[in-house]
Amino acid sequence: MKPLSSGIRLPLAALSGLLAGFAALAVAELVSATVRPESGPVIAVGGAAIDSTPPAVKDWAIRHFGTHDKLVLQLGILGVLALLALVLGVLALRFRRTGAAGVLLFGLVGALAASSRPDSVGSADAMPSMVGAAAGAGLLYLLIGRLTPGAGTATGAAEGEASGGPQDWDRRGFVVAATAAAVASAGTGLLGRTLNNANGRGAVASRGKVKLPAVASSARPLPPGAMLHTPGLSPFITPNSDFYRVDTALVVPKVNATTWRMKIHGKGVSRPVTLTFEDLLGRELIERDITLTCVSNEVGGPYVGNARWIGVRLADLLKEAGVRPPSRGGPADQLVARSVDGMTIGTPVEDVMDGRDALLAIGMNGEPLPFAHGFPVRMVVPGLYGYVSACKWVRDIELTTFDAYDAYWVKRSWARKAPVKTESRIDTPKPSARPKAGTVMIAGVAWAQHRGVDRVEVRVDEGPWVPADLAAEDTADTWRQWSLPWKATAGEHTLTVRATDRSGQVQTDRRTPTIPDGASGRHSVVIDVD
């Protein structure tokens, strides 16, 4: 035994807390592999944080971090846990049992978060957090015991010595225990991660086996002139790897297509329908080009993309189930789609059954849906923002009414119904660009899904609105590219764009935020011409 100076007591105690937290997370990772990956404490607490975050804060995170918002959240959670672990380690130096109890308390928080998630499978989801916390609490108690061997005895008082003065310590025992704990935790965490990845391999294999059959109705060939080739302009078809992803899933669900099932049931359903993935593959499939837009997309933002989707007409499935739209006397006016991660998306039944190409999609740009975009099955309804139409990883469709049920986002102050607003965006030149004086090509995209874009105009500074050249229209459900050659003069200039849809509605100049039903306003960029 060697005397432990007060100068090293706190750092070693803090290290003990950090090791205990690491062990708790590693054991929880391993246990989650026996339950399901989503039951891990970081994912569970992160999901609960997302659910309780005010919409304005979520919008801020999406604007500033984009598709990295979930990574930032997880890193933030880990940072907070690390800080708390350091604090508990220092606390345990003086109050050994209290510090260990603090670890158990945070395990309880994780357990409650996991078991209360919408996709929870029951009390089993609480196991990873509780077992991990027990391991962490035990390790903290053990390591602090090496620093203060008298703590917990009659001479040291049950809660540790209050004096906090120098004591003998088991230097070799602490080093061995701390090193063994670090190595064991790393191995346990790696094993848990490996097993969790293995659990998703069946889903990956099932996707790899999918061969999309020939469609009964192909997307019509793109008309000549539908795709412009201006440098800097968004491509007409957005590649899967570039297609935006905005959802609340901290971990992309890996759903095995061979075991996937979906049920259509609820109000006005006279013949409930249960579908397998093979059922969908054997049905009449259609292929359509459809542009999707996220309601969190700011004016000029990136959360809009155009893809070629393959799927089954959702209206046909609803008719098989005996569903009638409200305009034909049907009692249900809302279709609630539920995802495997517990997300609920409410869609107007009338919009799904009014003749538009609303799909249960299984393919995207010529391949099975990527996992990040909803494999094996997702909804695609043209003309509506994604939060009321585009449920990914869908597993259940219930017919109900808007009066009877509020879906996830509606409970968080978003509108029940949200048709896509007429919008346009300047892709090139970029803000703060410095083009040379002379002819500069201004180009971008415009969209007004299910109404169609009729006209796009550009204004330079406070000058007149000048009609842009529109690319040929594919369908009313896709965006249109546009361009305008401009004879640029030296100096700073503001470029502004506006679109007019087929109903005659001109894109408003009134700026509104994304909440409650999508942003509005006109996109402008400021450039400096040399």
Side-chain angles (χ1 to χ4, degrees), residues 132-420:
L139 178 60
L140 180 60
Y141 194 84
L142 172 67
L143 292 177
I144 294 299
R146 294 291 185 269
L147 297 177
T148 55
T153 67
T155 58
E159 287 293 339
E161 293 197 289
S163 66
Q167 298 188 26
D168 290 341
W169 72 301
D170 184 357
R171 177 179 177 180
R172 185 171 185 275
F174 179 84
V175 172
V176 170
T179 303
V183 173
S185 297
T188 300
L190 180 60
L191 176 61
R193 179 58 56 89
T194 301
L195 292 175
N196 271 324
N197 289 339
N199 289 338
R201 286 177 192 152
V204 173
S206 72
R207 183 179 182 273
K209 294 177 181 177
V210 173
K211 304 297 182 186
L212 294 176
V215 297
S217 174
S218 300
R220 74 179 194 180
L222 291 181
M227 293 197 307
L228 304 181
H229 300 287
T230 304
L233 176 62
S234 299
F236 180 74
I237 294 292
T238 309
N240 291 352
S241 59
D242 296 335
F243 207 95
Y244 75 90
R245 178 199 163 201
V246 177
D247 53 55
T248 62
L250 281 180
V251 175
V252 173
K254 295 277 198 313
V255 182
N256 193 317
T258 59
T259 58
W260 176 84
R261 299 288 185 276
M262 191 198 76
K263 185 177 181 181
I264 300 176
H265 61 103
K267 195 177 184 69
V269 174
S270 57
R271 297 177 296 277
V273 174
T274 299
L275 296 165
T276 67
F277 191 71
E278 288 297 322
D279 290 336
L280 292 180
L281 290 178
R283 286 175 173 267
E284 182 178 283
L285 299 176
I286 68 171
E287 179 185 63
R288 295 293 184 268
D289 295 336
I290 299 172
T291 297
L292 297 186
T293 310
C294 179
V295 74
S296 293
N297 198 46
E298 294 282 351
V299 173
Y303 304 126
V304 56
N306 187 53
R308 178 159 290 186
W309 307 92
I310 292 176
V312 176
R313 290 185 187 274
L314 185 51
D316 292 345
L317 296 174
L318 295 179
K319 290 173 184 176
E320 286 183 27
V323 176
R324 290 174 292 128
S327 60
R328 297 186 180 180
D333 60 3
Q334 180 179 207
L335 177 159
V336 176
R338 289 182 173 85
S339 169
V340 298
D341 70 341
M343 172 59 63
T344 54
I345 299 290
T347 308
V349 174
E350 194 69 49
D351 290 348
V352 173
M353 303 186 74
D354 67 357
R356 72 185 72 192
D357 292 317
L359 303 177
L360 272 186
I362 61 173
M364 181 180 182
N365 290 335
E367 64 177 84
L369 291 172
F371 284 107
H373 294 292
F375 182 84
V377 181
R378 68 169 295 163
M379 278 178 53
V380 173
V381 182
L384 305 178
Y385 283 116
Y387 86 99
V388 293
S389 68
C391 186
K392 294 187 283 192
W393 316 294
V394 63
R395 64 170 178 82
D396 183 90
I397 290 179
E398 179 182 2
L399 279 298
T400 182
T401 64
F402 283 105
D403 290 339
Y405 185 83
D406 285 337
Y408 181 93
W409 291 111
V410 175
K411 293 176 182 177
R412 290 158 177 81
S413 303
W414 296 83
R416 288 176 171 178
K417 301 179 181 181
V420 174

